[in-house]
């Protein structure tokens, strides 16, 4: 079941996010250490859905996947939104959970009046994620070399966009 993660799910969300950051450190801008010190009240506040932001979870029945979306603010930037924090636990991969999360996130996002572009960044070496995003209409428009630094190792990201019309 895909649904919005609420403040009532804060403990499960925190646990899954910490797991994601620990298991896939190269895939996220946040670190386990930074997130682990974030007060639970701040995490709960971040989960409050709004007209222009939400976090979805895949529950089977426990939380095994998540994806966030946030729309830019300001008159000149509100035509863009961003997918963030996409993660599916290894034991739930290969079962369509990631696709279901992304499809629901996209369906919710495109209902927002005036939203034209949905952006995301994906680690250049993550072929499975890149393939999923391409199959959902995302295209690469650029790359950020050395987007993240883990110790003395760098990680590059592909920058992707999906146009609302999906025709541009």
């Amino acid at each position: 079941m895909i649904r919005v993660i609420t403040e009532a799910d804060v403990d499960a969300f925190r646990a899954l996010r910490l797991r994601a950051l620990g298991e896939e450190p190269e895939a996220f801008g946040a670190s386990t250490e930074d997130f682990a010190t974030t007060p639970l009240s701040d995490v709960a506040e971040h989960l409050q859905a709004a007209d222009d932001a939400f976090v979805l979870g895949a529950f089977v029945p426990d939380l095994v996947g998540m994806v966030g979306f946030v729309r830019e603010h300001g008159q000149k930037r509100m035509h863009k939104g961003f997918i963030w924090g996409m993660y599916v636990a290894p034991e739930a991969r290969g079962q369509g959970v990631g696709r279901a999360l992304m499809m629901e996130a996209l369906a919710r996002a495109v209902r927002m009046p005036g939203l034209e572009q949905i952006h995301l960044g994906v680690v250049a070496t993550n072929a499975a994620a890149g393939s999923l995003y391409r199959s959902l209409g995302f295209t690469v428009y650029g790359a950020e070399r050395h987007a993240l630094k883990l110790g003395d190792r760098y990680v590059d990201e592909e920058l992707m966009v999906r146009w609302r019309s999906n025709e541009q």
Side-chain angles (χ1 to χ4, degrees), residues 26-27 82-83 118-134 138-148 155-162:
E26 69 282 349
F82 294 88
I83 296 288
I118 301 170
H119 293 255
L120 59 79
V122 62
V123 173
T125 57
N126 190 337
S131 178
L132 171 63
Y133 301 144
R134 282 178 185 83
F138 284 88
T139 57
V140 174
Y141 69 89
E144 184 177 355
R145 187 169 177 252
H146 294 188
L148 302 174
V155 177
D156 299 342
E157 279 189 346
E158 289 184 335
L159 308 174
M160 302 184 86
V161 63
R162 182 181 190 273

Coordinates of all heavy atoms in Angstrom, one line a residue, residues 26-27 82-83 118-134 138-148 155-162:
E26 N 26.2 6.6 -0.7 CA 26.5 7.3 -1.9 C 25.3 7.8 -2.6 O 25.4 8.7 -3.5 CB 27.4 6.5 -2.8 CG 26.6 5.3 -3.5 CD 26.4 4.1 -2.6 OE1 27.1 4.0 -1.5 OE2 25.6 3.2 -2.9
A27 N 24.1 7.4 -2.2 CA 22.9 7.7 -2.9 C 22.2 9.0 -2.3 O 21.2 9.5 -2.9 CB 21.9 6.6 -2.9
F82 N 10.9 18.7 -7.1 CA 12.1 17.7 -6.9 C 11.7 16.5 -6.2 O 11.0 16.5 -5.2 CB 13.2 18.4 -6.2 CG 13.8 19.5 -6.9 CD1 13.3 20.8 -6.8 CD2 14.9 19.3 -7.8 CE1 13.8 21.9 -7.5 CE2 15.4 20.4 -8.5 CZ 14.9 21.6 -8.4
I83 N 12.1 15.4 -6.7 CA 12.0 14.1 -6.1 C 13.2 13.9 -5.2 O 14.3 14.2 -5.6 CB 11.9 12.9 -7.1 CG1 10.7 13.0 -8.0 CG2 12.1 11.5 -6.4 CD1 9.4 12.6 -7.3
I118 N 9.7 18.1 -13.2 CA 10.1 17.3 -12.0 C 11.5 16.9 -12.1 O 11.8 16.2 -13.1 CB 9.1 16.1 -11.8 CG1 7.7 16.6 -11.7 CG2 9.5 15.4 -10.5 CD1 6.6 15.5 -11.7
H119 N 12.3 17.2 -11.2 CA 13.8 17.0 -11.3 C 14.2 15.9 -10.2 O 13.5 15.8 -9.2 CB 14.6 18.2 -11.0 CG 14.4 19.3 -12.0 ND1 15.4 19.5 -12.9 CD2 13.4 20.1 -12.3 CE1 15.0 20.5 -13.8 NE2 13.8 20.9 -13.4
L120 N 15.3 15.3 -10.5 CA 15.9 14.4 -9.5 C 17.3 14.2 -9.8 O 17.8 14.5 -10.9 CB 15.2 13.0 -9.4 CG 15.0 12.1 -10.6 CD1 16.3 11.3 -10.9 CD2 13.9 11.1 -10.4
G121 N 18.1 13.7 -8.9 CA 19.5 13.4 -9.1 C 19.7 11.9 -8.7 O 19.1 11.4 -7.8
V122 N 20.5 11.2 -9.5 CA 20.7 9.8 -9.3 C 22.2 9.5 -9.4 O 22.9 10.1 -10.3 CB 19.9 8.9 -10.2 CG1 20.2 9.1 -11.7 CG2 20.0 7.4 -9.8
V123 N 22.7 8.7 -8.5 CA 24.2 8.4 -8.6 C 24.4 7.7 -10.0 O 23.7 6.9 -10.4 CB 24.5 7.4 -7.5 CG1 25.9 6.9 -7.7 CG2 24.3 8.0 -6.1
A124 N 25.4 8.2 -10.7 CA 25.7 7.8 -12.0 C 25.9 6.3 -12.2 O 25.6 5.8 -13.2 CB 26.9 8.6 -12.6
T125 N 26.4 5.7 -11.1 CA 26.6 4.2 -11.2 C 25.5 3.4 -10.8 O 25.5 2.1 -10.9 CB 27.8 3.9 -10.3 OG1 27.6 4.3 -9.0 CG2 29.1 4.5 -10.8
N126 N 24.3 4.0 -10.4 CA 23.2 3.2 -10.0 C 22.3 2.9 -11.2 O 21.3 3.6 -11.5 CB 22.4 4.0 -8.9 CG 21.3 3.1 -8.3 OD1 20.8 2.1 -8.9 ND2 20.9 3.5 -7.1
A127 N 22.7 1.9 -11.9 CA 22.0 1.6 -13.2 C 20.5 1.2 -13.0 O 19.7 1.6 -13.8 CB 22.7 0.4 -13.9
A128 N 20.2 0.5 -11.9 CA 18.8 0.1 -11.7 C 17.9 1.3 -11.5 O 16.8 1.4 -12.1 CB 18.7 -0.8 -10.5
A129 N 18.3 2.3 -10.6 CA 17.5 3.5 -10.4 C 17.4 4.3 -11.7 O 16.4 4.8 -12.0 CB 18.2 4.3 -9.3
G130 N 18.6 4.5 -12.4 CA 18.5 5.2 -13.6 C 17.6 4.6 -14.6 O 16.8 5.3 -15.3
S131 N 17.6 3.3 -14.7 CA 16.7 2.6 -15.6 C 15.2 2.9 -15.2 O 14.3 3.1 -16.1 CB 17.0 1.1 -15.6 OG 16.1 0.4 -16.5
L132 N 14.9 2.8 -14.0 CA 13.5 3.0 -13.5 C 13.1 4.4 -13.9 O 12.0 4.6 -14.4 CB 13.4 2.8 -12.0 CG 12.1 3.3 -11.3 CD1 10.9 2.5 -11.9 CD2 12.2 3.2 -9.8
Y133 N 14.0 5.4 -13.6 CA 13.6 6.8 -13.9 C 13.4 7.0 -15.4 O 12.5 7.7 -15.8 CB 14.6 7.8 -13.3 CG 14.8 7.6 -11.8 CD1 16.0 7.8 -11.2 CD2 13.7 7.3 -11.0 CE1 16.2 7.6 -9.8 CE2 13.9 7.2 -9.6 CZ 15.1 7.3 -9.0 OH 15.3 7.2 -7.7
R134 N 14.2 6.5 -16.2 CA 14.1 6.6 -17.6 C 12.8 6.0 -18.1 O 12.1 6.5 -19.0 CB 15.3 6.0 -18.4 CG 16.5 6.8 -18.3 CD 17.7 6.1 -19.0 NE 18.9 6.9 -18.9 CZ 19.8 6.9 -17.8 NH1 19.5 6.1 -16.8 NH2 20.8 7.6 -17.8
F138 N 11.8 10.2 -17.4 CA 12.9 11.2 -17.0 C 14.0 11.0 -18.1 O 14.3 10.0 -18.6 CB 13.5 10.8 -15.6 CG 12.6 11.3 -14.5 CD1 11.6 10.4 -14.0 CD2 12.8 12.5 -13.9 CE1 10.8 10.8 -13.0 CE2 12.0 12.9 -12.8 CZ 11.0 12.0 -12.4
T139 N 14.7 12.2 -18.3 CA 15.8 12.2 -19.2 C 16.9 12.9 -18.5 O 16.7 13.8 -17.7 CB 15.5 12.9 -20.6 OG1 15.0 14.2 -20.3 CG2 14.4 12.1 -21.4
V140 N 18.2 12.6 -18.9 CA 19.3 13.2 -18.3 C 19.5 14.5 -19.0 O 19.5 14.6 -20.2 CB 20.6 12.3 -18.5 CG1 21.8 13.0 -18.0 CG2 20.4 11.0 -17.7
Y141 N 19.7 15.6 -18.2 CA 20.0 16.9 -18.8 C 21.4 17.4 -18.4 O 21.8 18.5 -18.9 CB 18.9 17.9 -18.5 CG 18.9 18.4 -17.0 CD1 19.6 19.4 -16.6 CD2 18.0 17.7 -16.2 CE1 19.6 19.8 -15.2 CE2 18.0 18.1 -14.8 CZ 18.7 19.1 -14.4 OH 18.7 19.5 -13.1
G142 N 22.0 16.7 -17.5 CA 23.4 17.1 -17.1 C 23.9 16.2 -16.1 O 23.3 15.2 -15.7
A143 N 25.1 16.5 -15.6 CA 25.8 15.7 -14.6 C 26.5 16.6 -13.7 O 27.0 17.7 -14.1 CB 26.8 14.7 -15.3
E144 N 26.6 16.2 -12.4 CA 27.4 16.9 -11.4 C 28.5 16.0 -11.0 O 28.4 15.0 -10.4 CB 26.5 17.3 -10.2 CG 27.3 18.1 -9.3 CD 26.5 18.6 -8.1 OE1 25.3 18.4 -8.0 OE2 27.1 19.2 -7.1
R145 N 29.7 16.4 -11.5 CA 30.9 15.6 -11.1 C 31.3 15.9 -9.7 O 31.2 17.1 -9.2 CB 32.1 16.0 -12.1 CG 33.3 15.2 -11.9 CD 34.3 15.5 -13.0 NE 35.5 14.7 -12.8 CZ 36.6 15.3 -12.4 NH1 36.7 16.6 -12.3 NH2 37.7 14.5 -12.2
H146 N 31.6 14.9 -8.9 CA 32.0 15.0 -7.5 C 30.8 15.7 -6.7 O 31.0 16.5 -5.9 CB 33.2 15.8 -7.3 CG 34.4 15.2 -7.9 ND1 35.7 15.7 -7.7 CD2 34.6 14.1 -8.7 CE1 36.6 14.9 -8.3 NE2 35.9 13.9 -8.9
A147 N 29.6 15.2 -7.0 CA 28.4 15.8 -6.3 C 28.5 15.5 -4.8 O 28.1 16.4 -4.0 CB 27.2 15.2 -6.9
L148 N 29.0 14.4 -4.4 CA 29.2 14.0 -3.0 C 30.6 13.5 -2.7 O 31.2 13.0 -3.6 CB 28.2 12.9 -2.6 CG 26.7 13.2 -2.8 CD1 25.9 11.9 -2.6 CD2 26.2 14.4 -2.0
V155 N 31.5 10.9 -5.6 CA 30.3 10.3 -6.3 C 29.8 11.3 -7.3 O 29.5 12.4 -6.9 CB 29.3 9.8 -5.3 CG1 28.1 9.2 -6.0 CG2 29.8 8.8 -4.3
D156 N 29.6 10.9 -8.5 CA 29.0 11.7 -9.5 C 27.5 11.5 -9.6 O 27.0 10.3 -9.4 CB 29.6 11.5 -10.9 CG 31.1 11.7 -11.0 OD1 31.6 12.5 -10.1 OD2 31.7 11.2 -11.9
E157 N 26.7 12.5 -10.0 CA 25.3 12.3 -10.1 C 24.8 12.7 -11.5 O 25.4 13.7 -12.1 CB 24.5 13.3 -9.1 CG 24.4 12.7 -7.7 CD 23.5 13.6 -6.9 OE1 23.1 14.7 -7.3 OE2 23.1 13.1 -5.8
E158 N 23.9 12.0 -12.0 CA 23.2 12.4 -13.2 C 22.0 13.3 -12.8 O 21.3 12.9 -11.9 CB 22.7 11.2 -14.0 CG 23.8 10.4 -14.7 CD 23.3 9.3 -15.5 OE1 22.1 8.8 -15.2 OE2 24.0 8.9 -16.4
L159 N 21.8 14.3 -13.5 CA 20.6 15.2 -13.2 C 19.6 14.9 -14.2 O 19.8 14.9 -15.4 CB 21.1 16.7 -13.3 CG 22.3 17.0 -12.4 CD1 22.7 18.5 -12.7 CD2 22.0 16.8 -10.9
M160 N 18.4 14.6 -13.7 CA 17.3 14.2 -14.6 C 16.1 15.1 -14.5 O 15.8 15.6 -13.4 CB 16.9 12.7 -14.3 CG 18.1 11.7 -14.5 SD 17.6 10.0 -14.2 CE 17.1 9.6 -15.9
V161 N 15.3 15.1 -15.5 CA 14.1 15.9 -15.5 C 13.0 15.1 -16.3 O 13.2 14.4 -17.2 CB 14.2 17.3 -16.2 CG1 14.6 17.2 -17.7 CG2 13.0 18.2 -16.0
R162 N 11.8 15.3 -15.8 CA 10.6 14.8 -16.5 C 9.6 16.0 -16.7 O 9.2 16.6 -15.7 CB 9.9 13.7 -15.6 CG 8.7 13.1 -16.3 CD 8.0 12.1 -15.5 NE 7.0 11.3 -16.1 CZ 5.7 11.6 -16.2 NH1 5.3 12.8 -15.7 NH2 4.9 10.8 -16.8

